[in-house]
Amino acid sequence: MEPTVLGSKLASSLISPLLKKLFVADGPGAGLVDRPVRLKELVSFRGEKQALVEKDVHKLAEHLVRQAVDSPGEPPFRAREQIAVADALARRLLALGGLDMDDVQAVQLGHRELAGKLRRQAPPPDGLSSDACYFLDSATEWACLQILEFFTRRSTFVARTLVEQTRAQAELIARIDELLARTPRPDARDTAFERRYRSYVTERHNHITIYGIDLRDSPDRWPLEVAYLSLEATAAENRALPGDGPGPAPVTLQLPAEEALLTHDRALLRGDAGSGKTTLVQWLAVTAAREGAHIPYVLPLRTLIRGANAFPAPAAFLTSVSCPLSAPEGWTERVLTAGRGLILVDGLDEIPDADRHRTRDWLLSLIHAFPGNRWLLTSRPTAVRPDWLATEGFRELTLAPMRRTEVATFVHRWHTAAGAPEFEGPLLDSLRTKRDLARLATNPLMCGLICALHRERRGYLPTGRKELYDAALTMLLARRDRERGMGVVDEVELGEEVQLELLQRLAYALVLSGRTEMETETAERILDRCLPSIALHADSATVLRTLLLRSGLVRQPVDGVMDFVHRTFQDYLGARYAVEEGHLDVLAGHADDTQWEDVIRMAVAHARPQERASLLRRLLAQNTPRLTLLALACLEHATALDPEVRLAVDSQAAELIPPWSAEEARTLADAGPLVLELLPGSAGLTDEEAQGVTVTASLLGAEEPEGALAVLRRFRNHQSLDVRRQLVGTWHRFDTVEYTTEILNHLERTGLFLTCESAEELSALATMRPWHALSFHGPHRLEEILTAVSAPEAVTAIELVDNPHVVDADALLSFGSLREVWLTDCPTTGLDRLSELPLVRLGCNRIADVTGLCSLRSLRRLSLTQEVPGTDLTETLPVDSPLETLFMGTYSTDTTGLRGLQHWAGLRSLSLGPLTTELTDTDWQAVAELPELRELHLNAATIREFPYSFVVMPELPGVEVLRIAAIYGDEDLSALAFRLPGLRSVTLRLPPGVPIARYAQLFPGVEINLDRR
C-alpha cells in the first residue's frame, strides 16, 4: 500500500495534529548557532519537559492504525494483527528520538530515506504477516511524509534553510578563491605555447640513438614508441610483515620503471651504463607531453653545466637545453607554481663530483620553492652514496637487467622499427643458443648494439664474436661518452687502452679465483701493482672509482665489493690477459672446469695461430666428449689455424654430432649446454640423426630451456614420427605456454599422443586446435578434462593414468568417437558401457574390474596387465570380437593361462610378458592352434624366470617375426631358434655394450635388428 493510497484513507487534517504532538513547540530565531538543534532534542517524549510519554506515543500509533482499518474498503491486514502493527509503528515513531540530525537535514533526506532510517533504528517486527509488514512500511513512509511537511512549516525552518544555503555558498566561494590563487588562470598565450611545446617535446624525444658505433646500412635512430621496452625497477623499502613480527622488515619491491612516479612524486633512479635510464626519461617526457596533465622538462646535467651560468632558474629551463621555442614571460614559474611540472634531471654521474653537491643544492632550492611537482633524477649506481636525497622524500629505485622475454620483445621491436624483420628470427636463435651472447644482451644498449651489428652483416654476427666484444668495449670505454659531448668527469682521465689494461688484470684475478666478485681493497692492491707500468699519476682508489663510474664494465653491487656488469666481459678480458702473459698451460689445466669454457674460447680468439693450435691439440688429447666439443666451439673463434688441427677437431667432433641414436644423444647431452650451439638443424640429417638431436636438446631443456627450445624449433615441421613423438613428449621440461606456441601448435599430429599432467597443461590444451589422441595423467576430474578439450567429438584415442575419479567407464561416453582407450591404475568398472563406442583397441592395466570385456564385440587389439578372472580366457574376453593383436602382461595369465586362446582364430600378433606364472604345454597348444599367428613378442624376463616355459614350447612354423625386449645378455635363446623355423625377422633390445653377434649366430639367414632404446 503506497503512502498516497494510505493518505486517501486517512485525512491529513485529522492526523497532522496527532503527529504534531510528537515535537516540542517552535523556538525563536533562525538557529544561528554552531550546532543546530537535533531531532532528538525536538521530540516531545524526551528531555526534561516531556509533553508525551512512551505510552502516549503508543496510543497515537493505535489511533493511526485504527483509522486506517476502519476506513472504507478492504482491510489492509488481518484484524487480529492490529495491536501488533500498532506496537511496531509506535516503536518506529519512538526511534525519532535516536536520530542525530536536524529538521533541515531530515527534509533534505526525503520521506523514504527518513522512513528507512526509522526502520533500521527500531527493533524489527516479530511474527507479522507479509500484508501487515507491507502496511507497516507504508504507514511509516506516510507518517514521515507528514512529519517533513510539518517541519517545513515551522517558523525557524525557512530562516535556517537560508542560513545553511548562505554558509554553503560562502564555503564554495572560499574554495574557488583558494584554487584560483594556486592556479592562476592562464591567458591565451600560455595555452597556445603549451600546445606548441608539447608537440616539440614529442618530436624531439620520440627516437632512440646508439652512440659509439659505425653503421653503414642501418639507421642510427629509431622511433621511441616502436622500440621502447618497459623495463623493471626494484626498490628496497621497510614494510610491516604479516603476523606478530618485531616490526617493519626490509623488502624488495618490483614495478615497471615508468610507474616510478605514480605513488611517489620524487624518485632517484639508478642503473648501469646502457640500462635504459635516458630512454626512460624520453618515454616519460613524450608520454606527459601527449597526455597534457604535466609539462615535461628534460634537463641533461652534462648539458646544463656547459655554460657560465650553470644550474638554470626555471625561466632558463628551455634555453639551457637549446629549445628553439620562446615561452611567454613567467610561464615556467606559473607551471611549477601550479604543481604541473615533470622535471626529468638526467645523468648525475655525467658531471664532476664537485658539481654533484651543487646539483643537490640546486634541486633542493627548486623543490622548496615549487612544491607539488614531480621530480626524477637518474644516475649510475656509484655516482652518489645511498639515500643521497632520502631526507627530501626521494624514493630510490634501480633498473633491473632485462629478462629473456624482454630481450625477445626488444629484438622484435628493434627489427620492426628498422624495417628488417628477416633478420629477427636468426638473431633470436643465436641469443637462445649462445650463452655468452645471451649474458651480454641484458640491457637495451647492448641489445641494440647486437641487433645493429647483426643486421649490418646481413644476418651474421661478427666472426667468433671477438669483433662484437671489441666494438662493445670501444663504445663503452671511449666513443659513447665522447660522441654524447661529455668531457672529463673526474679528477683522472683514462684512455681506452689504459682502461683495458687495468680492467683485464682485474678480470684475470677473478677468473683465477673462480669468483665473480672481489673486495674493493683487493682491487686497489691489484691496481697499485699495475699503475707504475702505465705511468699513471693517480692513486689506486681514485682510478678504481673512475672505472666504476665511467667504464660501464664494472660496478659496485654492495659497499666494498666490485664485479663486472657482464660475466662475458670478465671472461673476455681475463682471456686477453692470459694470452698476453703466455698462460696457455693455466688455461689448458682448467679445461675440465665448466667455468673456464668461455675463457678458453676467448683465449683462442686472442691467441696467435701457433698458440691456438697448441691449445686445441691439448683439448683433443683428453678424448672426452665435452673437451672435444669445446675444441669444436673454439673453431668459431679461430680465424687462422693449422689446417691439420682444424681437420682433427672436425673429425673427432663428427663422431659425436649429430648423434645417431638415443644413447649417443644422452652421452652428448652430458657435455652440457655448450652442445646446444653446436647442434645442427634438420637439413641433411637422417631421421635417426634428427631424432638424436631432438633427444639431446630435450635433455638439456631443464638446464638451458631457451637454447634447447631454439634447437627444437628447427624440427617442428619434421615429418618423422619418432622426431615428432620426441617433440610432443618433452613438453613438461619447458614453459607450458611458450612450448605450446613455439612447438606443439606446429606439429603434424598423425600418430601422436599429447600427454597432460598439470593444470597448466590442461589450460594450454584448451587453447590448441583439436588433438585426436590425448593422455591425461593424475587426478583430473572428467569435467576438467572436458573443459580443456575443445572438440571432444574429434578425440579418437584417450589414455587415463592414475586417476581416482574415473570410477565408471560410462564417463568416457562424452567422447563419442573413441576408437582406442587405455586405462592404467584407475578404479574403473562397467567396461560393458564402452560397447556404445566404435572401440577397436583397449588397454587395461590394474583397473578395478574387467568382467565387462565380454560385451566389447568390436575389439581388434587388447592389452591386459592384471589378473583375468576365470579359468579360461573365453570366460572374460569378448568371444565375438575379431581380435588380431593381444598383449598378456604381469598377472594376466595367473588363473587362466592361455587356455581358450585358440577361439580367436584371426589373431596375428601375440605379446607375452613379463609373466608371473609359468606357461604349460596346454597353454602353448592353444597358441599352436592359431592359424593366422605371424608375430610373437616376448619379454626376456619371462625367459630368465621361467625357462621351462620354453622347453615345452611346441614348434610354431607360422611365426615370421620375433621381438624380444629387456635382454640382459646372459639369456639362452637357442630353444626359440629351434622352435620357430619360419622366422624372417628378429628384433632384439640389448643394453649398451652387449654385442649382437652372439645372438645373430642363433638365427642364420634371418634379418637381425637392434633396438637400443
Side-chain angles (χ1 to χ4, degrees), residues 658-660 681-693 715 718 720 723:
W660 52 271
S682 61
L685 300 183
T686 65
D687 288 350
E688 292 76 13
E689 290 171 342
Q691 183 187 6
V693 171
F715 294 84
H718 206 282
S720 167
V723 171

Side-chain angles (χ1 to χ4, degrees), residues 799-870:
E799 180 185 40
L800 299 171
V801 179
D802 196 19
N803 193 330
H805 302 300
V806 185
V807 177
D808 199 326
D810 64 359
L812 296 172
L813 299 183
S814 299
F815 301 92
S817 303
L818 282 179
R819 294 175 58 82
E820 299 183 20
V821 172
W822 299 85
L823 299 170
T824 300
D825 292 319
C826 298
T828 309
T829 61
L831 291 182
D832 56 304
R833 296 298 307 277
L834 300 182
S835 62
E836 301 179 27
L837 298 172
L839 206 62
V840 298
R841 187 172 186 176
L842 176 66
C844 296
N845 306 322
R846 299 178 297 280
I847 69 171
D849 184 14
V850 296
T851 55
L853 274 174
C854 57
S855 300
L856 307 182
R857 296 182 176 89
S858 61
L859 282 185
R860 293 181 179 275
R861 308 182 72 178
L862 178 61
S863 174
L864 296 171
T865 307
Q866 63 182 81
E867 185 174 338
V868 178

